[in-house]
């Protein structure tokens, strides 16, 4: 990874309120780069934009011609006139980062009411689909079905907040999806916050993409199994996370990336 991209991930991106942390940012990067190297085409979709941290990451590391679709209710915050401030702050973040939002590729609304054709009409079949929308079981069920129905054959689905005790129904929803699909989808990577799945015929390709990625060498790779699939679990020690957070909070963002070398 070049130095300007590391600066973006470890410095610029951290100025945007949100939840994607460096390990998953580097997984996103490694997967999109692996797809590019193999000529795997398709748009990128995200349910749950918040203020754009992962959205701007996806825009930054994808090719210039790639279409990135964001889906969110955009109903957070309240201005003096009673309107929500979330969307305005999202747009402002893009201007500040020099990554303008393509507003024609933003859907303001409930993802559970969307049809697959609406997404395909905007970006084609996505090669990467991030799900971080509603965290109740019915939300996860609807969003995972939507992702499956739109996904390119070689596509990846990234589920956020799996195994987070604050949101137990996400774990149930992801497990239900994988069990219902039986051998059609399999998990190939897990981090502290996310679970990554693909169609089973591409499992080995993505598993190897994670275990061989140069940007992920800082993490200990632990082989585990989830619902019959071999999974690369990336272990990020608490000591490293604490040092990183301390540097961020102490105003040392530009040096924080050294923790992950």
């Amino acid at each position: 990874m070049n130095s300007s991209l590391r600066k973006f991930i470890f410095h610029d991106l951290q100025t945007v309120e949100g939840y994607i942390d460096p390990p998953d940012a580097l997984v996103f990067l490694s997967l999109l780069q692996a797809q590019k190297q193999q000529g795997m085409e398709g748009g990128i979709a995200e349910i749950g934009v918040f203020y754009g941290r992962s959205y701007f990451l996806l825009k930054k590391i994808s090719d210039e011609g790639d279409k990135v679709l964001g889906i969110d209710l955009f109903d957070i915050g309240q201005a003096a006139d009673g309107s929500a401030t979330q969307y305005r702050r999202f747009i402002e973040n893009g201007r500040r980062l020099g990554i303008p939002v393509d507003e024609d590729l933003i859907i303001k609304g409930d993802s559970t009411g969307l049809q697959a054709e609406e997404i395909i009409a905007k970006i084609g079949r996505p090669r990467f689909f991030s799900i971080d929308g509603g965290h109740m079981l019915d939300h996860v069920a609807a969003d995972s079905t939507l992702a499956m129905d739109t996904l390119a054959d070689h596509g990846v689905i990234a589920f956020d907040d799996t195994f987070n005790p604050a949101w137990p129904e996400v774990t149930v929803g992801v497990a239900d999806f994988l069990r219902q699909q039986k051998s059609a989808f399999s998990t190939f990577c897990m981090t502290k916050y996310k679970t990554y799945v693909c169609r089973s015929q591409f499992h080995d390709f993505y598993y190897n993409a994670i275990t061989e990625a140069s940007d992920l060498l800082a993490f200990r790779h632990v082989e585990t199994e989830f619902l019959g699939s071999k999974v690369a679990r990336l272990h990020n020690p608490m000591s490293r996370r604490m040092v990183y957070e301390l540097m961020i909070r102490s105003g040392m963002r530009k040096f924080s990336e050294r923790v992950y070398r």
Side-chain angles (χ1 to χ4, degrees), residues 3-21:
S3 58
S4 64
L5 193 48
R6 286 192 77 90
K7 175 183 177 296
F8 179 81
I9 289 175
F10 289 97
H11 181 268
D12 302 344
L13 199 63
Q14 305 309 311
T15 66
V16 178
E17 188 176 355
Y19 301 103
I20 188 167
D21 66 348

Side-chain angles (χ1 to χ4, degrees), residues 175-239:
D176 282 352
F177 169 72
L178 291 169
R179 292 175 67 186
Q180 288 164 5
Q181 298 308 314
K182 297 181 179 178
S183 60
F185 282 81
S186 58
T187 305
F188 63 88
C189 178
M190 288 179 176
T191 63
K192 179 178 174 62
Y193 297 107
K194 294 184 185 290
T195 296
Y196 298 84
V197 311
C198 65
R199 288 190 171 86
S200 296
Q201 62 264 40
F202 291 92
H203 172 275
D204 290 350
F205 169 76
Y206 286 117
Y207 179 88
N208 292 334
I210 293 298
T211 58
E212 297 171 5
S214 58
D215 290 313
L216 299 176
L217 294 178
F219 307 102
R220 185 161 65 91
H221 293 62
V222 180
E223 182 180 315
T224 187
E225 186 171 304
F226 184 56
L227 297 177
S229 299
K230 183 172 68 172
V231 178
R233 182 172 64 83
L234 302 186
H235 179 60
N236 187 27
M238 177 64 74
S239 57

Side-chain angles (χ1 to χ4, degrees), residues 2 43 51 70 76 89 103 113 117 131 157 172 181 193-194 226 247 256 258:
N2 62 46
Y51 294 106
I76 298 173
R89 287 178 57 188
E103 296 191 63
E117 293 76 15
I131 297 179
I157 305 174
V172 176
Q181 298 308 314
Y193 297 107
K194 294 184 185 290
F226 184 56
M247 295 180 77
S256 64
R258 297 180 184 180

